[in-house]
Amino acid sequence: MKNRYTDLNTYLRGLFGCRVQKITIDAGLGCPNRDGTLSRAGCVYCNQKGSGTGAAAQGKSITQQAEQAKHALTRRYKAKKFIAYFQSYTNTYAPTSRLKQLYDEALDVENMAGLFVGTRPDCVNDENLDLLASYQDQYLVWVEYGLQSVHDATLARINRGHDFAAFENAVHAARKRGIHVCAHVILGLPGESEKQMMKTAKTLSDMDINGVKIHLLYVVKNTMLHQWFDNGRYTCLDQDQYVNLTCAFLTHLRDDIIISRLTGDPHRKELIAPAWAVNKTQTLNQIRNTLEQQNLYQGMHA
């Protein structure tokens, strides 16, 4: 079965000539949508843990997190090089001097080949983007912006705290410095139709971005979405719906856009619904089988 989309692992192997694995790092940084700068509620789907691993709260240093992950990933995947991926919360939401300390510590770990930084599009500025750009002579540098949707009404509905224009401006600011940009999107957001989701794909395809990460919207404990789910205001996608939407989404993206992820990866103990979301391998296989069976491929409608 040939690959019908441009996946991250193949892209990284092509650049470095070996297996490269991302190491998820929790720097213990916050979020303006939770600390009162924008709001204290956060996005409707996000609980107090956010996407954090809890490693920072456990007192683990950046170096400790990286070395521990390296050992496991080398054993499991025979990885030779690694990407320091600052994932938890908003990883440009600190003074630039502090960010430099964090990024430097991660990149000082042996066999680090790149730096990927997850953040919000309204939390980058000239100073922190210049810092990211300064690493490009030695490392592969990507910034990952949480967008979720190109529709302002949706962003308001999920209490995202920024509009699509903020994303456009952040993409331009990064790309003019040569920094690679990955956009995070969520399928199944409250109130969004299939047509609107495909509009997100088409809009991103027309932009100067390098990658897309596709997430499933799932319900976790102690969130506004959890309340909506309990009172019938929100209904989750079923697995077949999600698979078909993801395959259609891919067809509207340029074929040179790197696909970093095709579904979410919820914590089992926090997940409320849908139950199938924990079956990541099954979902990925179903997406690949559907692409093959329906003769679909990334970019065919871009």
Side-chain angles (χ1 to χ4, degrees):
M1 183 185 297
K2 70 176 183 178
N3 204 352
R4 291 177 172 267
Y5 60 93
T6 308
D7 68 286
L8 180 64
N9 282 337
T10 301
Y11 161 75
L12 291 174
R13 184 178 286 276
L15 284 180
F16 296 103
C18 62
R19 178 71 182 229
V20 182
Q21 286 294 133
K22 292 167 74 174
I23 291 177
T24 299
I25 291 174
D26 184 340
L29 299 179
C31 175
N33 208 21
R34 282 203 166 273
D35 68 7
T37 302
L38 294 173
S39 78
R40 294 193 180 278
C43 301
V44 298
Y45 47 76
C46 183
N47 65 11
Q48 288 290 346
K49 285 182 64 176
S51 57
T53 62
Q58 295 165 20
K60 293 183 180 179
S61 70
I62 302 297
T63 302
Q64 288 172 324
Q65 292 178 52
E67 291 289 1
Q68 184 177 352
K70 266 182 59 180
H71 179 73
L73 293 170
T74 300
R75 186 174 66 250
R76 181 174 180 182
Y77 297 108
K78 304 295 187 286
K80 304 286 188 184
K81 293 183 181 294
F82 304 90
I83 304 290
Y85 177 33
F86 284 78
Q87 178 187 33
S88 305
Y89 286 119
T90 306
N91 292 285
T92 55
Y93 191 50
T96 304
S97 58
R98 173 64 176 149
L99 296 176
K100 187 175 189 306
Q101 291 174 342
L102 296 170
Y103 302 159
D104 284 353
E105 182 178 352
L107 293 172
D108 280 344
V109 173
E110 188 177 8
N111 293 325
M112 282 295 186
L115 174 66
F116 287 22
V117 174
T119 189
R120 293 168 56 93
D122 56 346
C123 286
V124 292
N125 55 42
D126 287 341
E127 193 174 358
N128 53 41
L129 286 174
D130 285 344
L131 172 63
L132 289 174
S134 72
Y135 294 106
Q136 292 185 109
D137 286 346
Q138 290 182 272
Y139 302 97
L140 175 66
V141 178
W142 284 63
V143 62
E144 300 197 4
Y145 291 137
L147 169 63
Q148 321 318 352
S149 171
V150 302
H151 304 286
D152 283 344
T154 300
L155 298 179
R157 190 178 302 121
I158 64 175
N159 196 42
R160 185 65 192 157
H162 65 76
D163 58 10
F164 177 58
F167 175 78
E168 291 179 297
N169 292 336
V171 169
H172 176 72
R175 293 300 296 134
K176 75 178 183 179
R177 292 169 169 82
I179 300 169
H180 292 71
V181 172
C182 178
H184 290 211
V185 299
I186 297 178
L187 301 185
L189 289 168
E192 279 213 344
S193 65
E194 179 176 355
K195 183 177 180 180
Q196 287 175 302
M197 291 181 239
M198 296 311 113
K199 175 65 174 176
T200 291
K202 293 172 185 177
T203 301
L204 290 174
S205 190
D206 289 339
M207 296 181 69
D208 185 18
I209 65 167
N210 309 91
V212 167
K213 182 175 283 188
I214 305 171
H215 294 264
L216 160 71
L217 182 61
Y218 48 78
V219 182
V220 297
K221 295 177 181 177
N222 304 318
T223 62
M224 182 60 68
L225 192 65
H226 184 184
Q227 295 180 33
W228 292 358
F229 179 77
D230 280 349
N231 64 29
R233 183 176 170 184
Y234 177 71
T235 302
C236 300
L237 296 173
D238 65 35
Q239 192 172 32
D240 287 342
Q241 286 176 312
Y242 182 76
V243 166
N244 289 329
L245 285 168
T246 301
C247 291
F249 198 94
L250 289 171
T251 68
H252 293 293
L253 293 176
R254 294 191 325 269
D255 61 6
D256 64 311
I257 290 176
I258 311 301
I259 307 303
S260 293
R261 173 170 282 195
L262 287 174
T263 188
D265 201 7
H267 298 286
R268 288 176 181 264
K269 292 182 179 179
E270 294 186 344
L271 182 69
I272 298 296
W276 63 264
V278 299
N279 299 321
K280 184 176 180 180
T281 300
Q282 181 187 76
T283 302
L284 292 175
N285 287 338
Q286 195 169 330
I287 289 169
R288 293 170 183 136
N289 289 337
T290 299
L291 290 171
E292 187 73 21
Q293 290 163 6
Q294 298 185 20
N295 194 26
L296 303 175
Y297 53 89
Q298 184 180 339
M300 69 184 294
H301 296 139

